Amino acid sequence: MKLLEGKTALITGAARGIGKAIASKFASERANIAFTDLAIDQNGKTTETELQQFGVKVKGYASNAANFEEAHQTVEEVMADFGRIDILVNNAGITRDGLMMRMGEQQWDMVINVNLKSAFNFIHAVTPIMMKQRYGSIINMASVVGLSGNAGQANYSASKAGMIGLAKSVAKELGSRGIRANAIAPGFIITEMTEALPEKVREEWEKQIPLRRGGTTEDVANVSLFLASDLSSYVTGQVIPVCGGMNM
């Protein structure tokens, strides 16, 4: 029997990148997949098709995760289509980097809303469902900069630190109902965004990593699978860095 047989996972921001890798890993372990993105464009349709090859139910939903009403509407649609939500992965996120003295209010608000408020929105929406089921695993995608901070990323670091505090608080509130909440803190992960960086910048990053390489999206997906499955049934309120030892 596969690790996620019969379970339904809702993953935000999963048409590409880390979110897509998590969706693929979950589908390979027989989870039905509901995923969101701002728009279900060609990327989203391709993701749907690829995941359906695992023989599970898959559907993408166009949803602005940062909008409270849209998040709740999406969860209602997922419940109508799938009948249950066992796993929530709050993965939607953006960056709008800049030094504090030059950062505009819009840069701050946009990152906090997309990265942090979106997680509140979806947790708020799935909590009654998971409480009724007396089962659920919530995974917040944080970052090592949420643990250590980073110059030029005050907004992003604050949002990711918030994701950690949110997971810990939810773990304390909902643990008695069989609901777990944890956070993953990726480090330098090779994605389309990081591949666009100059080679010299990437080399400098890798020098700071004890394993001397960037992480892969599958590295993050593997830890997500652990936290989503019953392998971690006694793990809640924790933060697991996936950073090759960079954040020791």
Side-chain angles (χ1 to χ4, degrees):
M1 185 173 174
K2 295 288 189 175
L3 285 173
L4 300 181
E5 189 90 40
K7 291 185 168 60
T8 295
L10 171 55
I11 307 166
T12 66
R16 59 185 67 78
I18 290 174
K20 181 177 178 179
I22 293 170
S24 181
K25 180 64 67 174
F26 286 6
S28 74
E29 291 291 336
R30 301 291 299 167
N32 295 314
I33 305 294
F35 70 92
T36 76
D37 219 282
L38 267 177
I40 301 302
D41 54 14
Q42 191 55 50
N43 281 325
K45 294 184 188 306
T46 299
T47 297
E48 277 187 335
T49 302
E50 290 177 0
L51 297 182
Q52 285 165 354
Q53 293 176 7
F54 290 104
V56 297
K57 184 173 181 177
V58 182
K59 185 172 181 180
Y61 299 81
S63 175
N64 178 3
N67 183 287
F68 186 82
E69 288 76 19
E70 282 192 38
H72 279 69
Q73 179 62 37
T74 299
V75 167
E76 288 178 12
E77 291 175 9
V78 172
M79 284 298 291
D81 292 334
F82 289 83
R84 62 186 295 117
I85 298 171
D86 302 284
I87 303 153
L88 170 66
V89 182
N90 289 306
N91 173 72
I94 59 170
T95 57
R96 292 293 185 274
D97 296 348
L99 295 173
M100 176 59 75
M101 64 184 296
R102 297 194 183 102
M103 185 175 291
E105 182 182 12
Q106 186 179 20
Q107 282 174 278
W108 175 270
D109 288 347
M110 188 178 295
V111 170
I112 295 297
N113 286 338
V114 174
N115 295 8
L116 180 56
K117 185 171 183 285
S118 65
F120 162 76
N121 292 341
F122 274 91
I123 292 172
H124 190 275
V126 304
T127 291
I129 296 163
M130 290 183 172
M131 287 178 69
K132 187 175 181 180
Q133 295 171 174
R134 298 194 71 83
Y135 180 90
S137 176
I138 296 168
I139 303 168
N140 283 356
M141 200 57 57
S143 168
V144 290
V145 303
L147 295 166
S148 62
N150 196 34
Q153 288 193 309
N155 49 2
Y156 186 75
S157 299
S159 71
K160 295 303 186 178
M163 291 283 271
I164 292 168
L166 177 60
K168 288 178 176 289
S169 297
V170 169
K172 289 185 175 182
E173 284 189 27
L174 303 180
S176 64
R177 303 302 182 95
I179 301 167
R180 299 181 293 110
N182 294 283
I184 297 174
F188 184 71
I189 305 298
I190 300 167
T191 62
E192 290 178 12
M193 184 173 67
T194 55
E195 283 183 336
L197 293 171
E199 186 175 348
K200 190 173 182 180
V201 173
R202 282 183 282 144
E203 287 175 354
E204 287 300 315
W205 267 98
E206 289 173 359
K207 286 178 184 176
Q208 301 173 42
I209 302 169
L211 290 183
R212 293 295 188 269
R213 68 170 178 88
T216 66
T217 55
E218 187 168 8
D219 289 325
V220 181
N222 286 336
V223 176
S224 300
L225 174 61
F226 168 70
L227 291 176
S229 74
D230 290 338
L231 289 175
S232 59
S233 61
Y234 202 54
V235 179
T236 193
Q238 304 305 307
V239 187
I240 302 180
V242 183
C243 63
M246 183 175 69
N247 194 61
M248 285 195 283

